[in-house]
Amino acid sequence: AGYDPAGMDESRKELPSITYATDAYAACKDADLVLLMTEWNEFRDLDFKRIKSIVRTPNLFDTRNVYDPRALRKIGFTYICTGRP
């Protein structure tokens, strides 16, 4: 499922086959990978302990380098990012 607090109306026009969630947590439910592709403030303060409890597999790909890799790995996520080790 996908979620974007500002771009879903346009996304629905271009990508109608995607399931769109009502919020970030609903988008993460039963996911094998959480993919962050935008830096909206709404995504900066997510509760990753909660997310870990609802994903199928705790994998996070942070394309914007928003999160602290050590903190997420400590929670139990496999953390992948771009542009830094």
Side-chain angles (χ1 to χ4, degrees):
Y3 175 70
D4 183 326
M8 288 198 322
D9 289 338
E10 286 301 313
S11 292
R12 281 186 178 100
K13 294 175 190 174
E14 299 296 322
L15 302 165
S17 62
I18 291 177
T19 300
Y20 292 92
T22 56
D23 63 36
Y25 298 103
C28 293
K29 185 168 179 14
D30 297 326
D32 288 309
L33 173 70
V34 176
L35 174 64
L36 177 75
M37 296 180 62
T38 184
E39 296 179 48
W40 295 114
N41 285 334
E42 178 176 336
F43 298 134
R44 292 186 179 272
D45 295 317
L46 294 172
D47 179 348
F48 279 97
K49 288 181 181 177
R50 176 180 173 192
I51 291 173
K52 186 169 185 274
S53 76
I54 61 175
V55 296
R56 186 174 323 152
T57 312
N59 296 311
L60 175 67
F61 186 0
D62 179 2
T63 68
R64 308 305 293 176
N65 295 323
V66 170
Y67 306 116
D68 177 356
R70 284 172 280 168
L72 284 161
R73 288 179 181 128
K74 186 176 180 180
I75 293 170
F77 277 87
T78 299
Y79 179 83
I80 305 159
C81 61
T82 54
R84 64 180 176 189

